Amino acid sequence: MAQPEHATTLTLGLDDGSGLRVVRASFLDESKFDWSLFEGFESLRVLTYSASAAAIVKMLDDFSFESFECVFGCEATLGNIVDVLAFQKVAVEGTRSAIMGLRDERHVRILQKIATGQAAFRVLRTYVAHAKLYLLAGGKRTRVIVGSANLSERAFSGQQPETLVVFDNDETAWNHYSRMFEAIRDSGSDEVPLPEERITRSEIEVPDTPVLSDTSTTVIVTPAEPAETEVSAPAQVERIEKVAAVLKPRLSAANPPMRGGKQRITPTVKRELSRIRLVKSADEVTNRHLSIDRVNRTAVLSGERFPLEWDQASVEKDARLMLGYFGNYEGAFEGDVPMLQRDYFTFMAWLYFSPFICDLRSLAHLQDSDVVRYPSFAIIFGKSNCGKTSLVDTLITSMFGRAHTVEKRSFTTARLRGLQHAYKRHPVVFDDIGRRAFNTHGKELIKDEYPPQVSEYPGFVLSMNAEPHSFPDEIVKRSLTVYTTTALPAHDEKLRQRLQTRIQQIRGELTGHLYRRYLVDVMDRLERERLPEDWLATSSSVLSGLLAEASDGSPPAWCREVHWLGYADKRYDRVRARVLALLRRPAYAKREGDTANGWTIEGNDVVVWEQRDAFGRTGFGWDDLPSTLIDEASSGGDRTVLHRDSLERFLGQRLRARRRWWIGG
């Protein structure tokens, strides 16, 4: 006999459970938020529409609630079953990921609470709830907390304007909001399954989503009306939309159409959806993210626990391998190899440290400090065959076990913003980016000094074949730039193959323990100095010390400590050399215009004039020069006027308008 279908509808029977409500209250007092607001109670029920799993786990870990229940709402508009599946998939994976990121003993304790029914998580099925609600009870006390703050560490950090309203021991308020919570929970939510004794992975498949796991009921999906709302977790919504976009074409065959403005998901439809197994694209498989909890010393890499424990023998093995990798440049590359090694080590110090750059930039903003000192972009450019791609791939492998590069087609303004949210602290690497794409999409993001609306965001690595005058001063001072003309001889194929074989061998032997040890050591230093004056010295000194342990205490000169001011002065060396070439003695003229191209001194000004080519271009890239050296008011057309005093300080030399016109300064 066929089993009856029980339809789950979304219409709430209680008037106070839906729509925009008005509550009249009296103002008593106001105070700064403190987590003690949640202390002294036996139970907590939460409705929050951001999937703030990390903060919820904090509640379970820091407070001894005998009963805890949380309902995740949704900020995105749920229009059909695909949206529901995407939302539930993201919410469940966020919860699992947060629990996995805890230390083992807390991990087990929280799972035990879930197994015994002391804690429960639920996700809304097709109902859109924007309310934030906290119901606490214990003994004869009750407390209702409502307001604008989602249950997230960011909302409760005090870094953004939020308001919470508290009703203590108010029977009317308690009854009102309890009915509201229960109506939303009972009429439109599913329980999150967390059955494993230990969660071994965060990701779940579509058939395992809560809405599909119950095959005995029919769900009626009524699309929510689009609303203008300020989204407080844009990265979360973007991830839901991305998952929905992936699911839509693959579930289309089993996805029933809308009839009468509603979608009917019967048990039969659920079974059809559950039988579909999704095959991930290469983009989905390689989409990575890194999250680090510096307080609890835990990390999660793409939903899996990233261990911070290290073995000293493996640390020294990795260090020897990296010393060998940098040693490969000697005798093989043509040019200034010591400078190449030194520059690449500086980049290594930035890349290893990049997961902490977001913390320092956020703190610098709070303290009204100079955020430019903490670059979130690194650009490696120069001639082809200088080992840029190989270096980045090897370093990323030493950090996370395998190289990871984002396809160039994702280098667009919208996708760069999305990657900034999705990758959290994991470096985003682009290889062989063209100048046009960089100018169109990259420049504005680098110049944007305001932090994204997320607590964790990545550093970006751009590898380019470009000339030394490819980047204006405003980009150079906001990013870590490495330029080199030292390269492997293009004609020596035998040498190239031998080096490539050696590099592949090095990557295959790397264990990742060097980077784990590095992370722990850097976090120790950041505990002592939250906003270091010289992060580059901090990072490079830790690296130099670890490499020294594998080289009997005498590491090569290229891996000694690097200071930010030393790097900052050196990054304009190429521009200085080009200015000196421009102001060469044969090009000097007594009067402006005596020659087609030349320069002269007029009092406190240095005047340079150039002929333009058929395309209207001049030979010198003035955007590369620090803007403070140029007199913008007097410059124009083919004529550029420089402030003489500032120019001489920049060059480190004095200019003289006579035959012996160079005098060392």
Side-chain angles (χ1 to χ4, degrees), residues 29 31 34 49 54 84 159 242 344-345 382 400 403 453 498 645:
D29 57 35
S31 62
D34 190 275
Y49 69 73
V84 174
Q159 298 179 20
K242 182 176 180 180
Y344 280 3
F345 174 71
F400 305 116
Q453 295 300 306
R498 186 170 71 250
D645 291 342

Side-chain angles (χ1 to χ4, degrees), residues 335-400:
D336 193 342
V337 171
M339 178 178 289
L340 174 76
Q341 293 172 315
R342 184 69 171 158
D343 288 344
Y344 280 3
F345 174 71
T346 301
F347 169 75
M348 180 182 183
W350 175 88
L351 183 63
Y352 269 38
F353 191 84
S354 64
F356 303 111
I357 289 288
C358 60
D359 296 331
L360 303 192
R361 288 176 68 90
S362 297
L363 193 56
H365 274 286
L366 288 175
Q367 297 183 4
D368 197 24
S369 184
D370 180 18
V371 73
V372 173
R373 290 185 300 161
Y374 310 102
S376 59
F377 276 78
I379 304 173
I380 307 183
F381 65 110
K383 294 175 62 175
S384 59
N385 295 323
C386 64
K388 302 183 298 292
T389 301
S390 174
L391 173 72
V392 176
D393 287 350
T394 301
L395 293 179
I396 293 291
T397 300
S398 74
M399 297 164 72
F400 305 116

Side-chain angles (χ1 to χ4, degrees), residues 66-81:
E66 295 179 5
S67 173
F68 176 88
E69 185 175 12
C70 176
V71 178
F72 291 119
C74 183
E75 293 177 301
T77 298
L78 301 179
N80 56 43
I81 189 62

Side-chain angles (χ1 to χ4, degrees), residues 33-139:
F33 170 80
D34 190 275
W35 285 97
S36 61
L37 195 66
F38 296 96
E39 289 180 350
F41 296 92
E42 298 170 0
S43 67
L44 171 60
R45 292 178 291 170
V46 179
L47 173 63
T48 176
Y49 69 73
S50 285
S52 310
I56 291 170
V57 170
K58 174 181 174 66
M59 282 288 189
L60 288 172
D61 186 50
D62 292 354
F63 301 95
S64 55
F65 296 119
E66 295 179 5
S67 173
F68 176 88
E69 185 175 12
C70 176
V71 178
F72 291 119
C74 183
E75 293 177 301
T77 298
L78 301 179
N80 56 43
I81 189 62
V82 174
D83 294 331
V84 174
L85 295 175
F87 164 61
Q88 292 197 349
K89 191 173 189 295
V90 170
V92 174
E93 288 177 357
T95 306
R96 285 171 171 255
S97 178
I99 295 175
M100 287 172 58
L102 294 170
R103 296 172 181 171
D104 285 346
E105 63 273 14
R106 295 186 299 151
H107 179 168
V108 174
R109 189 165 68 248
I110 290 172
L111 288 176
Q112 287 174 343
K113 288 185 178 182
I114 295 170
T116 59
Q118 291 177 276
F121 298 91
R122 302 182 72 88
V123 285
L124 288 183
R125 190 181 307 122
T126 55
Y127 188 85
V128 180
H130 291 277
K132 275 75 71 173
L133 177 60
Y134 309 88
L135 301 171
L136 297 122

